[in-house]
Amino acid sequence: MKEFSHHDFAIGLPPRWIDSTVVVLVGPPNDGYSPNITVTREQLEFRLSAEEYAAEQLLALRQGLAEQGYKVLEEGPLSLGPEGAFQRVHRFQVEEEGLRITQLQIYLVRGGEALTITCTHRSEWFEQARPVFMEAARTFRWREAGA
């Protein structure tokens, strides 16, 4: 059995199981909402570039958030990691909470896996938090499994 390691723990990874990690980092509350950074790992069925992966994600976002007023504010390539990355800033409404949310999503692909770094805050506070989000994202680096 392979070992899966994350931060301060390790656990056995049974044969044929895959790593679909989701890590959530939460910042101090601001205006009743805590900004957060979520890192999501996905195993890909076939190889894609970061831009191709981002395009696939956009289709899902538009479908899933259509009723919440989903809108892309900006997008484009980003120099991050050896393979490069693709970034998108978008906004949508969370009706039940009465919040407008803005997210920066950074898509990275390495071999057969993709990571999405999602930086989220209330829209009215997003630009103030954006430099902190970008500083955190720019520290990203791939490590070898178990390292």
Side-chain angles (χ1 to χ4, degrees):
M1 183 177 290
K2 288 180 13 182
E3 181 179 85
F4 170 79
S5 297
H6 175 74
H7 190 51
D8 62 350
F9 71 88
I11 189 169
L13 186 64
R16 299 187 323 187
W17 284 41
I18 60 172
D19 174 6
S20 291
T21 309
V22 176
V23 176
V24 180
L25 310 169
V26 179
N30 185 346
D31 198 19
Y33 183 89
S34 292
N36 59 80
I37 299 173
T38 304
V39 182
T40 308
R41 181 186 307 267
E42 180 181 354
Q43 301 300 318
L44 301 175
E45 293 181 24
F46 46 89
R47 295 197 184 261
L48 298 169
S49 69
E51 188 168 352
E52 291 166 332
Y53 181 73
E56 282 192 356
Q57 297 305 303
L58 181 58
L59 293 173
L61 288 163
R62 284 189 168 144
Q63 286 179 334
L65 296 172
E67 293 183 16
Q68 284 81 27
Y70 180 79
K71 181 179 181 182
V72 174
L73 304 175
E74 62 185 73
E75 64 181 359
L78 178 67
S79 178
L80 186 65
E83 291 86 9
F86 192 85
Q87 68 176 339
R88 175 177 299 122
V89 177
H90 53 237
R91 181 177 57 222
F92 57 92
Q93 186 82 23
V94 180
E95 296 296 335
E96 60 273 4
E97 312 248 346
L99 299 174
R100 264 185 11 156
I101 299 295
T102 300
Q103 292 181 326
L104 162 65
Q105 287 196 316
I106 300 171
Y107 306 97
L108 301 113
V109 175
R110 177 177 71 170
E113 63 184 345
L115 286 183
T116 303
I117 302 170
T118 303
C119 306
T120 307
H121 207 339
R122 293 178 70 139
S123 292
E124 58 267 30
W125 293 102
F126 179 80
E127 286 304 324
Q128 186 175 355
R130 189 173 184 163
V132 173
F133 290 151
M134 286 305 297
E135 182 179 356
R138 290 210 181 278
T139 66
F140 173 85
R141 69 186 188 286
W142 293 102
R143 293 190 320 185
E144 293 306 314

